[in-house]
Amino acid sequence: MARWGMAIDLVRCLGCQACVIACKQDHNIPSGVNWCRVITGEIGTYPIAKLESWPVLCNHCYEPKCVNACPTGASAHREDGVVTIDYDKCVGCRYCLIACPYQARTYLSKFEQYFPGQGWLPSEEIAGKTYQTGVVVKCTFCTERLEAGQKKGLNPGVDREATPACVNICPAEARYFGDLDDPESNISRLIVERGGIQNHPEYGTDPSVYYLR
Amino acid sequence: MKPYEWMVTYTPQTEWVEHRGILLWLAFFFIELGAGTFLISSLFDNLPGMLTGWLICAVLGGGAHLIYLGHPLRFWRIFISSGWKTSWISRGMYFVTLFLLLGIIYLILGSQANQAVPLLVATNIMAFLVIIYGGFAMNFVNGIPLWNTAILPILYVVSGLWGGAGLTLVITMAAGATKIGMAVEEWTRLLLVGFIILLAVYLVSIRYGSSAGKISVREMVRGKWAPLLWIMVIALGIVLPLGVVISSYTAGLTAIPVALLYIAVFFELTGDLAMRYLILKCGFYNPLVPVHL
């Protein structure tokens, strides 16, 4: 079984936020919630200063704290490495949200309009049917795309139809997706060649998202 | 706060202390206070104290816990999943449920039978687990150094028992059982000393343990929440009860005005509540992205 993972090239990332928008559009994510974020910060001081961007999302850890914290089994770690949430099982205790050291989860307390007082957008109406209030939400690694693509015999990370939206949209091709367990996959080779690093490896969670510098 | 600033700076957790999170703070306090009162009262065969502890745990603690949930009516899912293998919230629900079941059986039936000792022992084991599970639930969160320490569960056990002893003292004195009250008061002395030592060790160890821990302790000691620590926790919650304890040690419990005793216990409990609030409020996460960004 594959272990899906992502590598993000920090040198290539422009900080354009296209991945944030693609994620929002693809999943009809409600207002106030972001599964994918890009932090843009300044390093150094003038005249020796530069901007750097650092995209973050759920790390789909191999040893996820959130899954161990969940009292109902709503948060689960699939065989392919993807960490999912079953909204129907979630009681809304938010222990997973607290336990995630990457703060990658959000509690959806209520639906808010993107444009208050101007009615619900079509995407917001879909969100109302897709999500529930009183539960925790987070990045899914676009599992629906992965599964649908694999059923068609496509290869996630290679074929766009089977690859997460944030990877497809990136104009700088800074995101790579693939099987971390396959040493011959593009992502595995990149991680080895470029010395890919995980965010806060000291937590012992073994994230599936790597950063390339 | 600028967009995403929270990811590159030390940021406090909010879900367990703000808005409806207040309910969780109260839930942990009342559940542990109730179980502590039941446990201490049972050592002195004090049925009114045990009943009071049971009610505090079930109604105030359990009620606040359920209302806090996003979907309270789904709480039963905790009992049909295997979450107890890894989740302290799940284990806690089992402990609380078993404690309440065994406790009510003892209070209704067992207290009138002579062979109730094994039932009481089982109930008290559950009561102890109820007191300690909140500390372990927080200790599990390794992103927040203030919580991620082995001292926290011990501190919560001592504070839960201390609160329980204080409430038991009030109940026994109100019932005129001065002799039992004196015995309970000896417990409060020990637990108060233990609480002071543990709180000091906890804060010092966190202060020098990590940069996020240092910020948490600084926020408590010198920051926005310092008045709560120094006035509610230290002055009223520790120094005042300590003065009463020293007076009763030197002059005897009967020499202390009962009203002063009640006031001391009241501030002991509010001090404990304030300490728990501070621990939740000042729980800072390490920055998500390395500081060099």
Side-chain angles (χ1 to χ4, degrees):
Chain A
M1 177 62 91
R3 179 192 166 190
W4 301 119
M6 192 179 286
I8 301 173
D9 191 333
L10 297 175
V11 179
R12 280 177 168 244
C13 178
L14 305 167
C16 68
Q17 313 273 345
C19 48
V20 177
I21 302 299
C23 177
K24 280 230 164 207
Q25 278 189 332
D26 214 59
H27 299 281
N28 299 298
I29 296 174
S31 172
V33 180
N34 279 323
W35 289 355
C36 174
R37 299 175 172 100
V38 180
I39 307 165
T40 301
E42 213 174 279
I43 307 172
T45 49
Y46 179 83
I48 308 166
K50 67 170 181 174
L51 274 178
E52 190 168 316
S53 299
W54 192 296
V56 290
L57 65 162
C58 171
N59 284 290
H60 295 275
C61 306
Y62 196 66
E63 299 286 344
K65 297 287 284 184
C66 54
V67 172
N68 287 343
C70 181
T72 62
S75 285
H77 186 229
R78 304 193 332 174
E79 281 189 351
D80 62 1
V82 179
V83 175
T84 56
I85 301 174
D86 184 337
Y87 302 138
D88 290 331
K89 286 184 181 176
C90 180
V91 290
C93 71
R94 286 160 266 178
Y95 191 26
C96 59
L97 191 154
I98 295 282
C100 172
Y102 305 102
Q103 302 175 64
R105 294 179 165 228
T106 311
Y107 179 68
L108 188 57
S109 57
K110 60 181 177 182
F111 289 111
E112 289 174 7
Q113 291 179 332
Y114 277 100
F115 303 100
Q118 297 183 40
W120 297 97
L121 299 171
S123 65
E124 290 175 318
E125 284 172 2
I126 297 170
K129 291 169 189 165
T130 311
Y131 304 105
Q132 304 173 16
T133 55
V135 300
V136 171
V137 294
K138 70 162 196 78
C139 158
T140 61
F141 252 2
C142 293
T143 43
E144 68 289 342
R145 296 173 72 97
L146 292 181
E147 286 167 2
Q150 283 177 296
K151 277 180 190 167
K152 292 179 186 171
L154 301 175
N155 191 1
V158 177
D159 300 304
R160 288 176 62 86
E161 211 177 320
T163 302
C166 57
V167 178
N168 285 340
I169 199 78
C170 185
E173 295 184 348
R175 288 179 183 242
Y176 306 91
F177 190 80
D179 182 5
L180 294 173
D181 278 350
D182 178 6
E184 297 304 315
S185 68
N186 188 27
I187 183 173
S188 294
R189 280 191 284 107
L190 269 170
I191 289 167
V192 172
E193 287 167 11
R194 303 269 305 272
I197 53 167
Q198 295 166 312
N199 202 356
H200 286 298
E202 73 276 13
Y203 291 137
T205 51
D206 191 5
S208 297
V209 175
Y210 285 76
Y211 293 93
L212 310 171
R213 304 203 72 149
Chain B
M1 187 177 283
K2 292 172 193 169
Y4 309 143
E5 190 181 323
W6 60 273
M7 289 176 166
V8 288
T9 56
Y10 297 93
T11 48
Q13 73 82 22
T14 55
E15 288 294 339
W16 273 12
V17 76
E18 288 182 7
H19 308 296
R20 273 174 74 165
I22 289 285
L23 289 167
L24 197 79
W25 160 56
L26 295 173
F28 275 137
F29 173 72
F30 284 123
I31 279 176
E32 290 169 25
L33 175 66
T37 306
F38 185 98
L39 206 157
I40 297 287
S41 295
S42 75
L43 300 178
F44 300 97
D45 213 13
N46 184 335
L47 281 176
M50 293 162 75
L51 181 62
T52 306
W54 189 91
L55 285 171
I56 289 172
C57 187
V59 180
L60 297 176
H65 225 317
L66 278 181
I67 297 169
Y68 162 76
L69 296 177
H71 288 279
L73 296 177
R74 292 182 188 168
F75 80 97
W76 55 271
R77 286 194 172 275
I78 293 172
F79 298 105
I80 61 161
S81 90
S82 57
W84 58 270
K85 289 178 183 172
T86 54
S87 170
W88 277 103
I89 290 290
S90 176
R91 289 169 189 163
M93 286 291 275
Y94 276 103
F95 297 153
V96 171
T97 307
L98 284 171
F99 163 67
L100 293 176
L101 277 174
L102 294 172
I104 198 67
I105 292 169
Y106 179 82
L107 287 169
I108 292 171
L109 307 170
S111 59
Q112 294 168 22
N114 293 327
Q115 291 83 21
V117 176
L119 179 62
L120 185 59
V121 169
T123 312
N124 278 345
I125 289 171
M126 282 303 138
F128 181 80
L129 294 172
V130 167
I131 299 170
I132 205 168
Y133 95 86
F136 278 119
M138 291 169 71
N139 165 259
F140 177 80
V141 181
N142 61 356
I144 302 176
L146 183 68
W147 299 1
N148 189 224
T149 166
I151 301 174
L152 194 64
I154 305 168
L155 181 70
Y156 275 19
V157 167
V158 172
S159 77
L161 290 175
W162 183 39
L167 209 53
T168 306
L169 180 62
V170 168
I171 292 164
T172 50
M173 294 303 281
T178 314
K179 205 173 175 182
I180 297 172
M182 288 165 76
V184 177
E185 206 263 343
E186 283 181 20
W187 273 79
T188 60
R189 285 178 204 164
L190 288 172
L191 290 165
L192 173 57
V193 172
F195 180 75
I196 294 168
I197 294 169
L198 274 170
L199 185 61
V201 171
Y202 171 64
L203 292 177
V204 170
S205 66
I206 293 294
R207 162 67 181 76
Y208 294 103
S210 67
S211 49
K214 181 180 173 182
I215 285 167
S216 293
V217 174
R218 192 175 65 194
E219 193 68 16
M220 277 190 206
V221 177
R222 289 192 283 140
K224 186 182 169 187
W225 299 102
L228 198 62
L229 178 77
W230 293 109
I231 297 170
M232 290 303 296
V233 181
I234 308 285
L236 297 173
I238 292 177
V239 176
L240 178 67
L242 189 65
V244 173
V245 159
I246 291 169
S247 303
S248 78
Y249 183 71
T250 51
L253 184 64
T254 48
I256 307 287
V258 178
L260 181 61
L261 204 64
Y262 292 170
I263 289 169
V265 171
F266 173 77
F267 281 116
E268 173 203 321
L269 295 179
T270 50
D272 185 13
L273 194 57
M275 181 204 70
R276 289 161 184 272
Y277 184 80
L278 284 172
I279 291 174
L280 287 170
K281 194 77 187 174
C282 299
F284 280 79
Y285 280 101
N286 282 310
L288 179 61
V289 172
V291 180
H292 65 260
L293 178 69

